[in-house]
Amino acid sequence: MEYHLHQPPQPPLDFRRWLVKNVKLSQLITILLIMLILVPLVTHYYLSKVDGISSNGAFAPSRDALGRHTMKVSDLRLHVDELYRIKSSVTAELVDLERQRSEKQSQITLYSNKLEGIHQDISVTEIELKKIKLQIMQLQKEKEEILERRENQIAPPKRILPSLEDNVILTAPQDKLQCRQHNCFDYSRCSLTSKFPVYFYQPSETFQSSINLNRVVLSTISELFSANPYTTTDPSIACIYIVLLGPTTTALNSKSDIESKLHSLPYWMGDGRNHVLLNLVNSVLQDNCLESINTGRAIIVQSGFRVSEFRHGFDILVPLLLGPKYHFSWTAIPPLVPAKRRYLATFQGELVASGGKHSTFHHMQSGKLKADLRGRETADQYINEELQRLQTITEDSFFIELFCGTSVITQGSMGAPEWALCGTEIDRSKFLRESTFSLVFSPDEVLVSSSLFYTRLYESLRYGAVPVIVGEHTQLPFYETLDWRKAVLFLPKPRITELYFYLQTVGHGDILNMRKQGRFIYETYFSSTKNIVDSILATIRTRLNIPSVVIRDEPSPSVFSDEFVPLKVDMQLQTLEFEDGGGGPVESPYSSPGFLRNYTFNTVNRHATWNELPGPFYMFPNTPFDPILPSEAKFRGSGVGFRPIGDGAGGAGKEFMESLGGNVPKEQFTIVMLTYEREEVLINSIQRLNGLPHLNKVLIVWNSPEPPSQDLGWPEIHVDVKVIQTKKNSLNNRFLPYDEIVTEAILSIDDDAHLRHDEILFGFRVWREARDRIVGFPGRFHAWDTNINNGWLYNSNYSCELSMVLTGAAFFHKYYAYLYTYWMPQEIRDMVDEYINCEDLAMNFLVSHITRQPPIKVTSRWTFRCPGCPQALSSDDSHFQERHQCMNFFTKVFGYMPLLYTQFRVDSVLFKTRLPHDKQKCFKFI
């Protein structure tokens, strides 16, 4: 074994070499001596400092050599006092903290008790909520069961149509004159719920292209049926089949040829059942192509009929196609006023014998005729003498022309004596425009009607001369529906000598009423080919008691894109701005009840007259698709229904029902508010509607060119607020029948209007009792200016009477929105767009024209504008000048001034009545 001794580590050889080489011994000794002296001195200095002062700067006792503390008695007492002071301060703080702890503990105990009570209330409420939910589910189930049972009871039967290929020939009456709806029409093809499908034979599938038809008439009728809402291209489901036959020329097409081609129609089914043969002519010179033709069980529609061929209640009498295709021009029609014109009566015509030969009556002198009918060849000779006598009357002016010369227009095809026309329509119109009455002589008694007779009637209605029909045996167009006695005077031929006395007894008011009704009939049924075609279809549909098609609503596109979500501002539901308390319950939105007389309406209302039936919805038949009878079935599908006046109307909600005695339906209204670049004003107006009872929805018609600001906050009120994007900036947008409107009542209101809730509800109540009127707050009137303009002026001054209620704050029925948009002449809406004004005047003209009643003003407030709103258009003088011009232009379009004055205003029963405080509750809704 080997052992090694441990040696201490040696510094590196290089460091030792450097130390020996560079450091001297004397230098090293000097450095060590300095260090030995300085270290004790520094240590002694710092130790002396520590002994005299504590770390916090206070006096500290010194220490002896052994490290013990040494302190004087006085210093010790001071130190003890300081400790007592600190103790007292700490004790006081501890007492205060204990007090605070006790208070917090008491609050915790109180809140714990309240929380426990809340938990108990929540438990009870949850139990009650579960019970209510269960009851709701049970009621919903019962409702579904009731509706299901009800639907099962009234569900329409399945429609089973007979096959077109069966061709079962049914026995028709032996005498074709005995053909009526009950024995010649096949009802199996026309159920109540069939929607009245109509099939129109195209020329390519019939013989129409092989006979000499009038190309203008053919193209016009084909175009109209292609766009008609009842037309179907499926013949297997059709209710009726339309065949256009005339006019034609018999020289080119024999009667037998036409009859054989008629019976060979694809869907003739052997006897022509449910076929309608249109023999429409546009001139008195055109022939009757259906005379002496076996038409089987088909319905014939034409202007001229012989008594031996006309089937009363089955065939249809129609006017000639003398107007344009679609719309007539109001500028070609004279005004309805004044009542009395230059001539009391006019007549231009010449009696022609059978075959169109001229008579010699115009050569007869009145002195050569006897005073009675003895020795007369015909009654027309006696009429001729009386007409010559009327020319000699000087008290009143007559224009009688009994000899036409070479300008006579005759119709020789009917083979009966008849009064021919003199000159052209332009020549005759010059005298008809200046005539109060127009003499229209019926044709020979072998004729039910004729083209010449209907031409005179057409021209008389067109130019505002009240027709005086001499002769009772004739039938007028659409006699099943129209009450002609409201527009025409009838005089038997034996009473021709009493004609002058009869005309003198007619008052100015009766003349104006008959002239208005005559213009109404002309515009609705005679003025265009489209109206005539629609009237024919409506006549057949009315016979079958099938409701008309649903009128179209205006789409309501949102101003916001699908991706954008507008900002919402929550509002606490509350009742605002009531003068005497609350205004009733705030209900969830619901639609107006649907019209329940879709199938009985045609039965209870058979005549369309001007001012006889209860309400505009019965009164005005010229709606887009149904010019014969207005049908509230139009509102089916749009959520809007109509209940006739007196049929449960009046009252809305619990309070209204109680005040009126109860068994009336609940109802709500829709607010339509038009706005233009006034966002702040609009938002304030919406906020004021919060909590308004019986409000269904708020529609904001956004007429501004730019969309709403993205940072605009929209109030969250108790109903939906829909902002509708319009196609263009137009005041007519206020009255569009938007599909979002599901109530009958519309409150049109400006965005700066300021109405209290109780005022709105009172106006709604009044409207419910006068549903055919405009009911609102700001009243205006019209006046005649004889000094400057010699025309009508618009006046906004305070007065004891009014004739208009501005739609800046007014209720009206949605039906008027349809009429304003689809029926009222386009020229009026164009003027509203041109002036950016007068839309409220146009609505007042329209409603007064229809109802012949003034509007209704409610409440006694003088103004409803908000004081902080920006300056309105009405403050500019040009605004009133434009309204003056609108008044006169609208008067020309309507033909007269339809506005009516009234001094009637509706207030509460207890208006300004002092009541005890405990009795004031009834003041709100009485």
Side-chain angles (χ1 to χ4, degrees):
M1 299 180 60
E2 294 183 0
Y3 296 93
H4 299 276
L5 296 177
H6 177 71
Q7 295 181 359
Q10 299 294 327
L13 181 60
D14 294 337
F15 174 75
R16 287 182 295 181
R17 292 177 181 176
W18 176 85
L19 184 61
V20 174
K21 183 178 179 180
N22 294 286
V23 180
K24 297 179 179 180
L25 181 60
S26 60
Q27 293 177 343
L28 180 63
I29 293 172
T30 302
I31 293 172
L32 291 175
L33 289 175
I34 293 172
M35 293 179 61
L36 289 175
I37 294 172
L38 291 176
V39 168
L41 291 175
V42 173
T43 303
H44 180 268
Y45 173 78
Y46 282 102
L47 288 176
S48 64
K49 289 288 184 179
V50 172
D51 290 340
I53 302 175
S54 63
S55 61
N56 60 359
F59 171 80
S62 61
R63 297 176 184 268
D64 56 10
L66 298 176
R68 295 175 296 183
H69 291 282
T70 60
M71 182 179 298
K72 297 179 180 180
V73 176
S74 59
D75 295 336
L76 182 61
R77 287 178 180 176
L78 291 175
H79 181 65
V80 172
D81 293 340
E82 180 67 19
L83 292 177
Y84 274 112
R85 185 183 62 79
I86 294 173
K87 177 182 178 182
S88 300
S89 177
V90 171
T91 302
E93 291 180 359
L94 290 175
V95 171
D96 185 65
L97 290 175
E98 180 63 21
R99 181 183 59 78
Q100 293 181 8
R101 188 192 68 80
S102 299
E103 292 177 356
K104 298 297 183 183
Q105 186 65 35
S106 299
Q107 292 180 357
I108 291 173
T109 304
L110 179 62
Y111 287 133
S112 298
N113 295 334
K114 289 184 178 180
L115 182 61
E116 183 66 23
I118 292 173
H119 283 306
Q120 293 177 0
D121 293 341
I122 290 176
S123 300
V124 174
T125 305
E126 288 179 348
I127 295 174
E128 294 178 352
L129 181 60
K130 290 180 180 179
K131 292 181 180 179
I132 294 174
K133 288 182 177 180
L134 182 59
Q135 292 177 357
I136 293 175
M137 292 177 60
Q138 291 175 348
L139 292 174
Q140 289 178 344
K141 186 65 176 178
E142 292 177 3
K143 178 183 177 181
E144 292 175 359
E145 292 176 354
I146 292 173
L147 291 177
E148 185 177 357
R149 290 197 300 268
R150 182 176 179 271
E151 290 175 356
N152 290 337
Q153 293 175 0
I154 66 172
K158 183 178 180 181
R159 190 183 182 198
I160 303 177
L161 294 171
S163 175
L164 296 175
E165 288 75 18
D166 293 343
N167 199 21
V168 178
I169 301 177
L170 302 179
T171 303
Q174 294 182 355
D175 185 359
K176 67 176 183 178
L177 290 180
Q178 300 301 319
C179 213
R180 298 294 184 269
Q181 285 287 128
H182 69 277
N183 58 6
C184 285
F185 194 86
D186 185 4
Y187 282 90
S188 65
R189 305 201 61 84
C190 304
S191 66
L192 291 175
T193 58
S194 64
K195 300 182 180 179
F196 193 58
V198 175
Y199 182 81
F200 178 72
Y201 282 99
Q202 297 296 330
S204 58
E205 60 181 333
T206 66
F207 60 90
Q208 294 168 332
S209 58
S210 62
I211 63 177
N212 188 27
L213 285 179
N214 186 299
R215 297 303 171 186
V216 175
V217 174
L218 179 59
S219 62
T220 300
I221 299 300
S222 300
E223 179 181 341
L224 292 175
F225 272 102
S226 64
N228 194 282
Y230 295 107
T231 302
T232 179
T233 57
D234 185 1
S236 63
I237 65 171
C239 170
I240 61 173
Y241 302 84
I242 304 295
V243 184
L244 181 62
L245 295 177
T248 184
T249 303
T250 56
L252 300 178
N253 304 276
S254 64
K255 300 291 184 180
S256 59
D257 183 41
I258 295 178
E259 181 176 321
S260 62
K261 292 181 178 179
L262 186 67
H263 293 181
S264 63
L265 289 172
Y267 313 109
W268 185 257
M269 291 177 283
D271 50 16
R273 72 190 74 169
N274 293 33
H275 276 62
V276 179
L277 310 181
L278 298 185
N279 183 21
L280 304 179
V281 298
N282 57 0
S283 172
V284 296
L285 301 177
Q286 292 165 339
D287 189 20
N288 176 17
C289 65
L290 293 177
E291 186 177 358
S292 303
I293 288 182
N294 179 17
T295 56
R297 299 167 65 183
I299 299 174
I300 299 177
V301 179
Q302 61 185 21
S303 302
F305 277 99
R306 287 181 169 274
V307 175
S308 59
E309 295 182 347
F310 180 67
R311 296 168 291 185
H312 188 85
F314 191 70
D315 295 330
I316 300 176
L317 292 166
V318 296
L320 279 69
L321 307 181
L322 301 178
K325 182 187 303 184
Y326 289 105
H327 305 290
F328 72 98
S329 175
W330 63 270
T331 58
I333 301 178
L336 299 177
V337 291
K340 281 292 187 72
R341 298 176 175 176
R342 175 183 176 183
Y343 300 108
L344 180 63
T346 58
F347 178 76
Q348 293 175 275
E350 180 178 346
L351 184 65
V352 294
S354 176
K357 297 180 180 179
H358 290 234
S359 70
T360 58
F361 295 161
H362 63 278
H363 296 299
M364 307 169 84
Q365 301 297 324
S366 59
K368 298 180 181 180
L369 297 175
K370 303 291 184 181
D372 54 19
L373 291 176
R374 296 179 182 178
R376 306 297 179 189
E377 296 179 1
T378 64
D380 289 326
Q381 296 176 348
Y382 196 67
I383 293 174
N384 189 82
E385 179 191 81
E386 181 62 21
L387 292 178
Q388 295 187 44
R389 189 185 71 82
L390 292 177
Q391 291 179 301
T392 63
I393 296 177
T394 58
E395 290 82 1
D396 290 289
S397 178
F398 288 84
F399 180 81
I400 307 296
E401 184 180 10
L402 300 178
F403 178 61
C404 301
T406 58
S407 61
V408 65
I409 301 177
T410 63
Q411 179 196 34
S413 62
M414 303 298 288
E418 193 170 4
W419 290 90
L421 295 171
C422 292
T424 63
E425 180 183 353
I426 297 177
D427 298 332
R428 296 187 294 271
S429 66
K430 295 177 182 178
F431 298 99
L432 290 174
R433 288 174 178 271
E434 299 181 345
S435 177
T436 305
F437 298 96
S438 171
L439 303 182
V440 181
F441 292 97
S442 59
D444 192 83
E445 294 185 359
V446 300
L447 303 178
V448 176
S449 62
S450 68
S451 298
L452 284 172
F453 175 67
Y454 280 179
T455 300
R456 289 189 187 277
L457 179 64
Y458 171 91
E459 293 176 356
S460 300
L461 296 176
R462 175 181 173 88
Y463 298 110
V466 177
V468 181
I469 297 180
V470 182
E472 297 180 300
H473 65 280
T474 55
Q475 293 290 349
L476 300 184
F478 306 120
Y479 65 90
E480 297 177 58
T481 302
L482 299 180
D483 188 355
W484 280 98
R485 294 188 178 274
K486 297 293 182 180
V488 171
L489 292 176
F490 291 93
L491 185 71
K493 285 185 177 181
R495 290 184 175 176
I496 186 63
T497 56
E498 302 174 357
L499 174 64
Y500 180 49
F501 169 78
Y502 188 27
L503 297 183
Q504 284 183 317
T505 61
V506 183
H508 289 193
D510 292 333
I511 292 174
L512 287 178
N513 287 334
M514 286 189 291
R515 189 173 292 159
K516 292 173 187 175
Q517 183 67 19
R519 178 161 174 173
F520 160 72
I521 291 176
Y522 167 76
E523 292 178 356
T524 308
Y525 308 98
F526 286 32
S527 60
S528 67
T529 303
K530 180 182 183 302
N531 285 358
I532 294 175
V533 171
D534 289 344
S535 301
I536 294 170
L537 296 181
T539 299
I540 301 174
R541 183 189 54 75
T542 304
R543 288 179 182 176
L544 302 175
N545 204 30
I546 299 177
S548 62
V549 295
V550 178
I551 200 170
R552 63 186 182 275
D553 280 316
E554 186 72 18
S556 309
S558 175
V559 73
F560 304 109
S561 61
D562 297 336
E563 298 79 13
F564 179 72
V565 179
L567 298 178
K568 298 293 184 180
V569 178
D570 293 334
M571 294 188 62
Q572 183 179 0
L573 182 61
Q574 56 185 342
T575 302
L576 301 176
E577 301 182 51
F578 278 91
E579 190 175 48
D580 295 294
V586 178
E587 305 157 326
S588 300
Y590 51 84
S591 303
S592 293
F595 185 71
L596 303 178
R597 293 173 57 194
N598 295 321
Y599 297 99
T600 59
F601 175 77
N602 292 337
T603 303
V604 299
N605 179 43
R606 299 294 297 180
H607 296 284
T609 59
W610 180 276
N611 192 18
E612 179 184 41
L613 302 167
F617 319 99
Y618 297 92
M619 193 177 307
F620 230 43
N622 46 340
T623 45
F625 300 145
D626 185 13
I628 285 291
L629 284 177
S631 175
E632 277 60 68
K634 293 178 181 12
F635 296 108
R636 292 165 48 233
S638 64
V640 179
F642 168 71
R643 289 177 302 280
I645 299 173
D647 186 18
K654 181 176 181 294
E655 285 76 14
F656 293 166
M657 295 169 67
E658 289 178 351
S659 66
L660 296 178
N663 190 20
V664 292
K666 297 170 63 177
E667 189 172 11
Q668 293 182 338
F669 61 91
T670 303
I671 286 182
V672 176
M673 185 182 298
L674 187 142
T675 186
Y676 184 87
E677 293 185 348
R678 296 199 293 194
E679 294 182 347
E680 183 178 355
V681 174
L682 172 66
I683 296 303
N684 292 334
S685 296
I686 297 175
Q687 290 175 347
R688 288 194 295 269
L689 300 175
N690 189 39
L692 176 61
H694 312 300
L695 177 60
N696 178 273
K697 190 181 301 180
V698 178
L699 298 185
I700 306 299
V701 182
W702 191 264
N703 257 12
S704 304
E706 299 297 330
S709 303
Q710 294 188 357
D711 58 350
L712 183 63
W714 294 87
E716 278 273 296
I717 62 176
H718 66 293
V719 297
D720 291 338
V721 178
K722 305 289 186 181
V723 186
I724 300 175
Q725 178 66 60
T726 58
K727 297 178 181 177
K728 64 177 182 178
N729 176 22
S730 172
L731 294 179
N732 293 315
N733 296 332
R734 181 195 295 270
F735 302 127
L736 290 175
Y738 293 107
D739 53 13
E740 285 285 348
I741 302 176
V742 296
T743 61
E744 297 180 26
I746 297 176
L747 172 58
S748 173
I749 190 168
D750 288 340
D751 57 359
D752 60 351
H754 195 158
L755 289 172
R756 297 195 308 265
H757 288 192
D758 56 337
E759 292 175 320
I760 295 176
L761 294 181
F762 184 75
F764 182 44
R765 280 203 58 229
V766 174
W767 176 86
R768 287 196 40 120
E769 299 180 19
R771 310 171 74 89
D772 59 336
R773 314 272 282 276
I774 296 179
V775 176
F777 302 89
R780 302 290 186 266
F781 66 96
H782 67 290
W784 180 258
D785 179 19
T786 58
N787 298 324
I788 304 176
N789 299 324
N790 198 28
W792 293 106
L793 299 179
Y794 168 84
N795 202 317
S796 62
N797 296 328
Y798 300 133
S799 173
C800 293
E801 61 184 1
L802 60 91
S803 59
M804 292 173 285
V805 167
L806 303 187
T807 55
F811 286 93
F812 62 90
H813 200 286
K814 186 181 180 183
Y815 185 84
Y816 293 125
Y818 291 99
L819 294 184
Y820 185 98
T821 304
Y822 300 133
W823 174 83
M824 193 176 66
Q826 180 64 39
E827 292 84 354
I828 294 180
R829 294 190 293 273
D830 291 342
M831 190 171 195
V832 171
D833 287 336
E834 179 183 354
Y835 284 176
I836 316 179
N837 198 345
C838 306
E839 85 288 353
D840 47 358
L841 306 186
M843 178 59 80
N844 276 271
F845 269 69
L846 173 66
V847 177
S848 296
H849 173 67
I850 295 172
T851 63
R852 304 305 304 131
Q853 297 184 86
I856 297 178
K857 174 178 170 55
V858 295
T859 78
S860 59
R861 297 190 68 189
W862 294 105
T863 180
F864 63 95
R865 296 289 180 182
C866 59
C869 295
Q871 187 178 18
L873 292 174
S874 58
S875 61
D876 188 358
D877 182 66
S878 63
H879 170 81
F880 290 92
Q881 296 299 325
E882 291 174 352
R883 292 172 87 80
H884 299 332
Q885 298 178 28
C886 289
M887 299 266 307
N888 289 279
F889 180 75
F890 295 167
T891 302
K892 292 179 181 179
V893 175
F894 282 100
Y896 72 114
M897 169 52 73
L899 299 179
L900 299 173
Y901 293 106
T902 181
Q903 296 183 2
F904 178 75
R905 189 188 75 193
V906 178
D907 286 306
S908 172
V909 173
L910 298 180
F911 178 64
K912 290 186 177 181
T913 302
R914 296 181 179 272
L915 295 174
H917 179 72
D918 59 340
K919 302 295 184 182
Q920 290 182 2
K921 181 179 180 181
C922 66
F923 177 76
K924 303 167 189 174
F925 295 104
I926 294 298

